[in-house]
Amino acid sequence: VTERWNEIEGLAIKHPYWINGQTNLPRAQKRAVFSTLFSNNEDTLKEHLQQNHSDWIVIKNRYEALLKIVESCGVFFLKKGAIDLITTYQIKILSDKKVDRCC
């Protein structure tokens, strides 16, 4: 993520994991990118990532395959972010401490 942050930064910086997580930049980048991939459909990713979209979609597909295996064992991940982020994403921005506790 850190090597290719500039490619997805335009989308990822809009996610609350980035907005609220800047006390630890590498962690904020990883969380924001993961949730950004799952919060946007393929068309949005193609539009914003342009020539690099296929690489990011491959990463998203690999994550999806991995998460299916993990989910088959009874472990589930919130792909778009913490519960609070999913339910209030458009309404409010969470504090940094709350985001860290949810993850």
Side-chain angles (χ1 to χ4, degrees), residues 5-92:
W5 171 249
N6 63 322
E7 296 172 11
I8 199 165
E9 179 180 10
L11 279 175
I13 61 172
K14 297 174 187 174
H15 196 279
Y17 277 149
W18 175 254
I19 296 167
N20 296 315
Q22 293 187 34
T23 56
N24 183 331
L25 291 180
R27 181 173 57 189
Q29 287 175 329
K30 291 173 188 174
R31 288 178 176 177
V33 167
F34 179 87
S35 293
T36 295
L37 290 174
F38 286 100
S39 297
N40 293 281
N41 63 33
E42 208 167 294
D43 290 334
T44 302
L45 294 174
K46 285 180 183 178
E47 178 185 336
H48 288 278
L49 301 173
Q50 298 175 4
Q51 73 272 12
N52 300 311
H53 76 275
S54 59
D55 293 340
W56 289 103
I57 291 171
V58 166
I59 291 169
K60 180 180 178 178
N61 292 338
R62 288 180 180 174
Y63 272 133
E64 285 177 335
L66 176 63
L67 292 175
K68 283 182 183 179
I69 293 168
V70 173
E71 288 171 1
S72 71
C73 298
V75 178
F76 296 88
F77 288 85
L78 300 174
K79 298 173 187 169
K80 296 181 181 182
I83 292 278
D84 291 351
L85 297 177
I86 295 168
T87 58
T88 61
Y89 185 65
Q90 300 296 330
I91 299 169
K92 69 176 184 175

